[in-house]
Amino acid sequence: QVQLVESGGGLEQAGGSLRLSCAASGGTFSNYAMGWFRQAPGKEREFVAAITWDGTSTYYADVAKVRFTISRDNAKNTVYLQMNSLKPEDTAVYYCAATRRYAYYYRNSYDYWGQGTQVTVSS
């Protein structure tokens, strides 16, 4: 059983940056690909970014390309999401998730989820 805890969310102005962290415990972190999803009020949870178990490959939704960067440190059992040039439409609860499957874009592929961290971007 893998436990995931996100941190780093908060209130930021448009154009600013935030770095989200997700700390894993209870399993072998390097066995899992990791993903970030987000859910805005009244909307479905959507894929943001994913990274393979060894960090050699990354995948992004169109909204995250260029502005966001996913990375991981297997020695620290942590995955990160660096978010730059934030926009008000990035406001959402951000979740990290772990999977041993390969369909990284689909939330049903993920077995373990964190509780989420709120990101609010003001205009």
Side-chain angles (χ1 to χ4, degrees), residues 1 4 20 24 29 32 50-51 59 66 72 80 98 102 104 114 122:
Q1 191 80 359
L4 303 172
L20 306 183
F29 182 65
Y32 295 88
I51 187 167
Y59 306 85
V66 178
R72 67 189 295 161
Y80 305 98
Y102 294 97
Y104 304 130
S122 63

Side-chain angles (χ1 to χ4, degrees), residues 24-91:
S25 62
T28 302
F29 182 65
S30 58
N31 284 347
Y32 295 88
M34 299 298 296
W36 285 97
F37 287 73
R38 68 185 186 184
Q39 188 167 17
K43 295 188 177 182
E44 292 197 356
R45 193 171 301 187
E46 64 176 358
F47 172 79
V48 175
I51 187 167
T52 52
W53 68 272
D54 58 357
T56 57
S57 296
T58 56
Y59 306 85
Y60 295 94
D62 288 344
V63 295
K65 289 178 182 176
V66 178
R67 297 188 299 124
F68 293 2
T69 302
I70 188 172
S71 62
R72 67 189 295 161
D73 185 338
N74 285 349
K76 295 183 178 180
N77 291 349
T78 302
V79 62
Y80 305 98
L81 185 68
Q82 177 68 43
M83 304 187 296
N84 299 327
S85 302
L86 285 164
K87 304 176 181 180
E89 49 264 44
D90 294 321
T91 295

